[in-house]
Amino acid sequence: RQTRFERRAGDRLDLDAGAMPGQGDRLVLVLTLPGEAPPEPGAEKTGRAEAIAARNRGELAAAGGDLVTALAEFTRAADLDPGDAGTLEKIGFLHLGSARPDRALEYFKRAQAWLGAGMALDLLGRRDEAVAAYRKVVELGVNDEHQVDQAKLYLENPYTEN
């Protein structure tokens, strides 16, 4: 239960002048739920904006060929926004490119990225599961970057590393 404070007209309001914002200063109100403590001043803020920033840093690192930094930034973005399927898929492809189809498969499944999952499953020698994943791509009609066409090719010939 949250404490309720009331103030009536004519009540004296005792405030510490040193704690009040100066003229022109920004006033930030922090609302909390009952039983929740406000954040410590200067505490790191996390959320969707930070996840987007981490993903952008990951994309810049990947474009520059720094795949270690890219993986670290994408992983941070996924930790901050676990529902971002695009970031999860990128992590999967980084693991796939690093000869870690087992780790890639985890991220592809979380992202519901069935083409990537099929590719990882092919590399793991689990052809029946790979075929099921490719069929799912075709059924769903996912055609981002010609995924349906790729899935049809991999249904005929298993994916192999180049």
Side-chain angles (χ1 to χ4, degrees):
R1 184 169 165 98
Q2 194 167 20
T3 306
R4 183 177 172 154
F5 296 96
E6 291 183 12
R7 184 170 172 256
R8 293 190 177 96
D11 285 353
R12 183 183 155 114
L13 186 59
D14 291 322
L15 296 175
D16 177 9
M20 298 298 293
Q23 190 172 14
D25 287 348
R26 285 184 36 197
L27 176 64
V28 177
L29 296 177
V30 177
L31 303 176
T32 61
L33 296 173
E36 181 183 46
E40 293 294 321
E44 182 179 343
K45 298 177 186 105
T46 58
R48 180 110 174 99
E50 289 78 14
I52 291 169
R55 185 179 67 222
N56 290 343
R57 288 190 302 270
E59 289 171 354
L60 286 172
D66 184 357
L67 301 184
V68 172
T69 300
L71 182 59
E73 290 295 342
F74 286 140
T75 301
R76 176 166 167 67
D79 290 343
L80 293 168
D81 186 4
D84 184 351
T87 297
L88 295 171
E89 187 175 18
K90 289 175 185 186
I91 294 170
F93 277 112
L94 284 172
H95 282 299
L96 197 64
S98 300
R100 290 295 314 269
D102 53 329
R103 295 284 296 153
L105 183 58
E106 293 174 35
Y107 286 95
F108 288 139
K109 284 184 173 181
R110 284 176 54 194
Q112 297 184 359
W114 304 117
L115 180 65
M119 295 164 69
L121 288 161
D122 264 339
L123 292 177
L124 291 168
R126 295 162 52 183
R127 182 67 181 152
D128 291 341
E129 293 173 80
V131 167
Y134 297 138
R135 285 190 177 138
K136 194 159 199 154
V137 173
V138 174
E139 288 171 17
L140 293 172
V142 177
N143 206 21
D144 182 39
E145 298 180 29
H146 311 289
Q147 288 191 26
V148 171
D149 298 335
Q150 284 297 124
K152 287 178 181 177
L153 287 174
Y154 296 146
L155 280 168
E156 294 175 21
N157 300 303
Y159 172 78
T160 57
E161 291 179 303
N162 296 335

